[in-house]
């Protein structure tokens, strides 16, 4: 199985090797909207391997939402 898509907007399902669907598209859109509100990338120190590990562990959601309260 190969990963497809832009890593910064990849859903946890896709990072786990599953096929993406509507939920994956919604996840990517939510990250994009959060970045627009924050005025910066969801993870300003973007490191692909760290991002992938965060996706797989579910930590990415907390990181993306941080500061949007």
């Amino acid at each position: 199985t190969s990963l497809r898509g832009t890593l910064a907007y990849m859903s946890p399902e896709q990072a786990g090797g599953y096929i993406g669907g509507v939920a994956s598209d919604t996840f990517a859109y939510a990250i994009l909207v959060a970045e627009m509100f924050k005025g910066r990338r969801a993870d300003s120190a973007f490191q692909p391997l760290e991002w992938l590990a965060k996706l797989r562990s579910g930590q990415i959601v907390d990181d993306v939402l941080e500061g949007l309260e």
Side-chain angles (χ1 to χ4, degrees):
T1 305
S2 63
L3 297 177
R4 293 182 179 212
T6 304
L7 184 58
Y9 302 101
M10 187 175 289
S11 70
E13 296 84 11
Q14 289 173 301
Y18 297 99
I19 296 173
V22 174
S24 296
D25 293 340
T26 303
F27 182 86
Y29 180 72
I31 290 179
L32 180 66
V33 170
E35 289 178 341
M36 290 171 54
F37 278 110
K38 288 179 158 184
R40 60 179 176 83
R41 289 191 75 133
D43 188 351
S44 57
F46 183 75
Q47 297 295 322
L49 293 178
E50 289 178 24
W51 185 264
L52 192 56
K54 287 180 181 182
L55 273 172
R56 289 182 174 165
S57 71
Q59 180 185 354
I60 202 65
V61 174
D62 294 334
D63 290 355
V64 168
L65 295 177
E66 182 181 326
L68 290 178
E69 293 86 26

